[in-house]
Amino acid sequence: MKLGGYLAYPAAGRLEKSIETPFQEMLRVDGDEISILRDGEERRISLRNRKSFRVMLSGIEAIMAGNAAMLDEHFEATISGSVEDWRIELRPRDRRLARQLLKMDVTGDAHVRSIRFEMPDDEWQLLEIHSGEPSNE
């Protein structure tokens, strides 16, 4: 299934992912809480006891913020390519997270273009990130 939408990093400790197609969903991470709005219903999930999920989210935040120190704390990084077309392969340092997330592949140029999450059993998710503001159509 291919999802269309956008990813925003409005401030430290906050991420927003909006899915616009094939369904509508808004996911907001604010500190230790995630809120998910879908079909008019909101769910809230605490991250206090979910270390693996917090590490994965902090990895996304570190990528969006350009925080190499935060990435290095939680992931082993392999960098390749050039300034115009680069790739970073991130493998979790934490064994528990590594059972759920094999690696994250991040590509970009002047901006991050995509983040691909590879999980066990040949499962994966791809976030394609386009610069600019989301459309209001």
Side-chain angles (χ1 to χ4, degrees):
M1 178 184 311
K2 184 175 180 177
L3 305 177
Y6 65 91
L7 180 67
Y9 176 63
R14 292 184 51 207
L15 286 169
E16 296 176 355
K17 181 175 89 170
S18 176
I19 299 172
E20 297 173 339
T21 59
F23 55 86
Q24 293 186 346
E25 179 178 274
M26 174 60 84
L27 181 140
R28 285 191 177 103
V29 178
D30 194 354
D32 282 341
E33 185 176 86
I34 295 176
S35 63
I36 302 168
L37 180 62
R38 185 171 183 184
D39 297 329
E41 293 187 26
E42 184 176 25
R43 286 187 3 214
R44 293 187 180 272
I45 301 168
S46 173
L47 295 176
R48 286 189 183 97
N49 296 322
R50 297 187 171 151
K51 180 184 176 195
S52 296
F53 202 68
R54 280 194 336 255
V55 168
M56 190 168 73
L57 289 170
S58 70
I60 296 169
E61 178 179 357
I63 291 164
M64 299 300 287
N67 187 336
M70 185 187 293
L71 276 178
D72 190 51
E73 181 180 340
H74 298 292
F75 297 92
E76 292 181 24
T78 303
I79 302 169
S80 59
S82 65
V83 173
E84 297 84 23
D85 186 24
W86 51 265
R87 179 175 175 259
I88 304 172
E89 179 183 285
L90 299 166
R91 294 193 178 267
R93 293 184 187 277
D94 181 81
R95 287 187 182 143
R96 179 184 281 165
L97 177 58
R99 286 193 300 265
Q100 299 167 13
L101 174 68
L102 302 177
K103 68 178 179 172
M104 292 183 345
D105 279 321
V106 185
T107 62
D109 42 42
H111 303 281
V112 176
R113 283 192 318 251
S114 70
I115 305 172
R116 180 182 165 112
F117 303 89
E118 293 192 18
M119 283 90 63
D121 301 322
D122 292 325
E123 289 186 36
W124 56 271
Q125 292 181 13
L126 177 65
L127 287 174
E128 291 181 331
I129 302 168
H130 304 280
S131 58
E133 294 296 314
S135 67
N136 289 327
E137 297 175 10

